[in-house]
Amino acid sequence: MTGSSYSLAPIWFTDVAGSALIIVLSFLAVWYAVRLAKAQPSNVIWIYLLWLCVALAVFGVSRGVGHIAKRFLLLMDMRDVWISLRSYSGAFNTLAFVVVASITLFFQRIHRINTAILKDKEALEQASQEVMHLNRNLETLVRHRTEELSLSEKKYRRIFEGSMDMIFILDEKGDFVDINRAGLDVLGFQNRDDFIGKVSLGGLFASGEEFDQLMSGLHANGFVRDRQCRLRKSEETEVFLLLSATSRRDASGKIVSYEGIAKDVTARLYMERQLQQAEKLASLGQISTGIAHEINNPLGVMLGYTQLLLRDHPSGSQIHDDLKTIEKHARNCKAVVEDLLKFSRSTQTRKSSIDINQCVGEVISLLEHQFELDKITVETRLSPNLPRVTADGEKLQQVFMNLLMNARQAISGKGRISVGTEGDPGTRAIRVVFSDDGCGIAAEHIDKIFDPFFSTKPVGEGTGLGLSVSYGIVQDHNGRIQVESRPGKGSTFTVVLPVEQDGESASRIEASQ
Amino acid sequence: MTPLKIGFFIVWAYLLLGPTVASAFQSHPGPEGLYAHQLAHIFFILAMAFLGYWLQVNGFTRERGWRLIQISCILLILWNIVAFTGHWLEERIPETVVSGEPDWTQRIAVNSAWTGLYYALKLDHLVSVPAMLFLLLGIRSLYRQAVTEGRRGDR
């Protein structure tokens, strides 16, 4: 490159003027930063800007003063002084750079913390305002909430207490915590205090296995729906409930309570059973009638010819004895056929006005001696003011005798039979009740006891027609037979007979209660 | 004071005052000052670059004042580069290229590209003064905005 010489005057003047301007500008910046920080003292950004400006002002002063001093000291031929000052100026410049850079790099972290603090502050202020608002309105709020809760409690309590179905709450052990009035009535309890905390659902179940199945369903699924359950209402009676229930668990998953609703379906169930029984026995009756008529005529012919042959053979001869045996068995067959006809109600009935108590009394007196021999006590509770009924007395006596003989056979050894009569003004009927403390009827047999030829006795000891015939006779009188039995505890047969619909009978039924 | 503590103190005093030559001290010759200064320039560049980026990312530059400060950051980065290069070149240019009395009448013999660049870099105030000016304008703008907001808040 060709050597050429340039004046350093531009550099000289730029250096002096620039240094002076930087000092002035940096101090002005400091002044504005101070005012800004004072205007908004809580804003950390203005503090940072102030620090930045102060550091730059220090830099401006150290550098500017250094540059100006350099020019003038060199101009005044004081190079030695400048050399001693130069190091300080450079050192201050370096320090100012480091300070500016450091606070800038650390500032972002401070700003992040400051932002978080401001957010928390805002949240705290909002919370504080809410707390103050709540404080001011606490009493009113509590009153409103209490009123709402009270209304809600009343509403649900009305539903709970007014429900016609049983509603209950159990604790985690299955003990009753609460139950409504309908529930107490269904389960046969008068007083809630005798029930709550003292009775468990499991204890009311007639079958422990059934209760276990219910609980395992509740534990597995959290609910059971429309499950038919058999509960003991008292020592002698049972109720059938259609039960739906749910289990409630706490946060840890542990069961804390059970809530349920149950409908008493006992009456409906009995009615359905009776209907099924009636339909079944009606069909059997029709078959029996056909068979009986078909057998009756040949049997009559057989008996007639046997009797004719008996006349031709003197008694004591072998043929006479054989004919007697034929006659005996033919008569047995005829008796069975007649029983079948009675069951199917094909025989003639001679109805007249009779006194049921007298009818029952005659049967008991007939069997009394036999019961004494068997050490069976017969208790009677005959209502004295029963109205008379229009019925075939002989056939009803046959029914009562059948029932008493069955009761006797159900009792092995010492026992007790109770016979009672009562009027039922609701249905305008008379009820004759036969109870025993015998072996009872197994659950699987109870639906078959009125079937013709059904018997649990050994072969040859019974025809299995007694209860069938009784059923047919009572049906023929527009009445019905009900049976309740608990295996091992005994059975109760109830004959319900309608009363003639006149004023006198009605009043006597009322009086018999 | 227990005998153990007294013994420890004596050992410590001997170790501190006993040696005649302090070989652990490192001497700092002239160039160290320049290196420290140059490193400070680099540190300054990084800090300004970070500030400018941070203002952008956090949305501060939506306001005029912060935009001016961001421009100031860019100019300060540029000035640091100029100063850094100037210091580096100054060490490599012989003193003989400058002639005359040490006043505005001095002249420089530009006989290489480095010398020409050195001459240009010596005019660094042409960058640093605008940088400070933008910083001042930015802060002033922010101050006025804060005052206006304060007045609105008072109403």
Side-chain angles (χ1 to χ4, degrees), chain A residues 133-241:
Chain A
H133 173 77
L134 283 172
N135 267 338
R136 278 197 296 271
N137 302 294
L138 190 61
E139 206 174 317
T140 317
L141 279 171
V142 168
R143 199 175 62 242
H144 284 163
R145 291 280 157 83
T146 310
E147 283 170 5
E148 283 172 11
L149 271 174
S150 173
L151 281 172
S152 176
E153 159 67 15
K154 279 178 189 167
K155 185 170 71 181
Y156 289 108
R157 180 53 65 175
R158 269 202 304 273
I159 294 170
F160 182 79
E161 290 297 344
S163 170
M164 302 303 281
D165 292 332
M166 165 175 157
I167 302 174
F168 61 90
I169 301 167
L170 309 176
D171 64 13
E172 76 284 359
K173 290 179 285 184
D175 293 338
F176 282 92
V177 174
D178 204 355
I179 190 167
N180 63 346
R181 188 66 251 169
L184 289 172
D185 293 342
V186 165
L187 298 174
F189 284 84
Q190 292 298 319
N191 197 342
R192 194 189 296 261
D193 296 335
D194 296 339
F195 188 79
I196 302 297
K198 295 172 184 167
V199 179
S200 70
L201 183 64
L204 292 172
F205 262 68
S207 157
E209 193 185 342
E210 207 173 289
F211 177 68
D212 292 342
Q213 283 174 0
L214 174 81
M215 296 312 278
S216 55
L218 271 171
H219 291 168
N221 307 320
F223 68 92
V224 289
R225 185 176 292 157
D226 293 340
R227 184 172 293 219
Q228 190 172 299
C229 305
R230 191 158 54 97
L231 272 68
R232 274 199 298 274
K233 186 172 184 174
S234 64
E235 277 299 308
E236 291 175 357
T237 54
E238 290 177 341
V239 283
F240 289 88
L241 301 178

Side-chain angles (χ1 to χ4, degrees), chain A residues 50-286:
Chain A
L50 178 59
W51 275 90
L52 183 75
C53 292
V54 168
L56 283 173
V58 169
F59 160 71
V61 169
S62 69
R63 188 170 185 271
V65 169
H67 280 221
I68 293 165
K70 174 188 170 184
R71 296 297 168 195
F72 284 100
L73 287 171
L74 290 175
L75 192 67
M76 290 184 288
D77 200 16
M78 295 169 75
R79 191 177 179 83
D80 295 340
V81 178
W82 161 241
I83 287 170
S84 62
L85 280 176
R86 189 173 64 179
S87 302
Y88 291 104
S89 171
F92 270 106
N93 283 355
T94 306
L95 203 61
F97 289 170
V98 171
V99 170
V100 169
S102 300
I103 60 170
T104 302
L105 290 175
F106 280 110
F107 167 69
Q108 62 87 21
R109 187 171 290 270
I110 291 166
H111 180 260
R112 193 186 298 167
I113 294 166
N114 186 60
T115 308
I117 290 169
L118 287 176
K119 268 188 187 172
D120 289 350
K121 185 188 168 196
E122 196 178 332
L124 274 172
E125 281 174 356
Q126 197 175 344
S128 169
Q129 281 176 357
E130 283 174 13
V131 167
M132 282 174 71
H133 173 77
L134 283 172
N135 267 338
R136 278 197 296 271
N137 302 294
L138 190 61
E139 206 174 317
T140 317
L141 279 171
V142 168
R143 199 175 62 242
H144 284 163
R145 291 280 157 83
T146 310
E147 283 170 5
E148 283 172 11
L149 271 174
S150 173
L151 281 172
S152 176
E153 159 67 15
K154 279 178 189 167
K155 185 170 71 181
Y156 289 108
R157 180 53 65 175
R158 269 202 304 273
I159 294 170
F160 182 79
E161 290 297 344
S163 170
M164 302 303 281
D165 292 332
M166 165 175 157
I167 302 174
F168 61 90
I169 301 167
L170 309 176
D171 64 13
E172 76 284 359
K173 290 179 285 184
D175 293 338
F176 282 92
V177 174
D178 204 355
I179 190 167
N180 63 346
R181 188 66 251 169
L184 289 172
D185 293 342
V186 165
L187 298 174
F189 284 84
Q190 292 298 319
N191 197 342
R192 194 189 296 261
D193 296 335
D194 296 339
F195 188 79
I196 302 297
K198 295 172 184 167
V199 179
S200 70
L201 183 64
L204 292 172
F205 262 68
S207 157
E209 193 185 342
E210 207 173 289
F211 177 68
D212 292 342
Q213 283 174 0
L214 174 81
M215 296 312 278
S216 55
L218 271 171
H219 291 168
N221 307 320
F223 68 92
V224 289
R225 185 176 292 157
D226 293 340
R227 184 172 293 219
Q228 190 172 299
C229 305
R230 191 158 54 97
L231 272 68
R232 274 199 298 274
K233 186 172 184 174
S234 64
E235 277 299 308
E236 291 175 357
T237 54
E238 290 177 341
V239 283
F240 289 88
L241 301 178
L242 206 59
L243 188 144
S244 297
T246 53
S247 60
R248 216 153 54 78
R249 294 173 186 271
D250 62 11
S252 65
K254 188 185 162 198
I255 288 179
V256 288
S257 66
Y258 304 93
E259 289 143 12
I261 184 161
K263 192 173 191 66
D264 184 1
V265 291
T266 312
R268 198 181 76 189
L269 212 67
Y270 279 136
M271 207 174 282
E272 282 173 3
R273 278 185 185 173
Q274 282 177 359
L275 204 64
Q276 286 169 1
Q277 184 77 357
E279 283 173 2
K280 184 175 77 179
L281 293 178
S283 305
L284 281 171
Q286 282 180 347

